[in-house]
Amino acid sequence: MKDINLLNNAAEMALYKFLGNELLDETGSKEVKYFCSDKLLIIYEISRGKIRNTEYQTELPLSALSWLKDTILNGFWKLPSEGGLPKDQHRCMAHFNNEEIIIGRSMNAGNYDKSGFKIVNKSRKSHILSSWPQEFQITDERVEKVLLPLFERLGAN
């Protein structure tokens, strides 16, 4: 597993294919950019502040995307009676290319009172604090509008 630098400058961004971006607020101070390589989906998040910016980055193996998509659509978003996960199961874990990926249901997914998911790569260190794993949260609405179409574009069945 190769460490990836934070994609916060043109030189680093140029090493990866840019897939798109989304602004999370009206002021443009919160933005998410999506990149990929032949092995990874890279999700770069920035919150621009008056004094300094806060940057996060999560790297996921492309081989995990089909599992993430299936776990969301056929696990969390289906009732147990329809074949979905038991109602008391709030997270799932799997390994891809020696990387431990966890997806969990969140009732405050980055926005207060907005349900969604927290996706964690336990095998990669946070760019903020090396004792933390990489993770990001995303609302159900953004999963439908942005993440699932992106997964399909990258070949996730």
Side-chain angles (χ1 to χ4, degrees), residues 26-124:
E26 303 81 37
T27 66
S29 65
K30 293 184 180 186
E31 183 178 13
V32 180
K33 294 181 182 182
Y34 299 91
F35 298 87
C36 73
S37 69
D38 60 339
K39 292 183 176 24
L40 294 172
L41 169 63
I42 303 161
I43 302 164
Y44 169 81
E45 301 172 82
I46 184 167
S47 294
R48 295 175 182 90
K50 291 181 180 180
I51 297 173
R52 67 177 59 96
N53 298 334
T54 303
E55 300 169 285
Y56 301 93
Q57 185 167 292
T58 305
E59 299 136 20
L60 299 169
L62 293 179
S63 57
L65 303 186
S66 292
W67 173 78
L68 287 167
K69 179 183 171 186
D70 183 61
T71 302
I72 291 168
L73 294 175
N74 298 312
F76 290 111
W77 281 357
K78 277 192 177 178
L79 295 171
S81 61
E82 298 171 336
L85 294 170
K87 73 180 209 175
D88 63 345
Q89 184 172 348
H90 305 288
R91 64 188 284 260
C92 295
M93 178 187 65
H95 290 86
F96 302 90
N97 302 338
N98 297 317
E99 297 189 50
E100 183 178 344
I101 307 300
I102 299 170
I103 182 168
R105 201 70 173 118
S106 175
M107 293 302 111
N108 293 298
N111 289 345
Y112 177 73
D113 206 28
K114 297 268 186 171
S115 61
F117 297 93
K118 179 190 275 190
I119 300 174
V120 180
N121 186 336
K122 294 267 297 186
S123 302
R124 291 180 181 262

Side-chain angles (χ1 to χ4, degrees), residues 137-155:
Q137 293 194 52
I138 186 166
T139 63
D140 286 341
E141 180 182 356
R142 289 177 51 224
V143 167
E144 274 192 278
K145 289 182 178 177
V146 178
L147 202 60
L148 291 177
L150 189 65
F151 285 2
E152 288 179 17
R153 189 170 148 198
L154 292 170

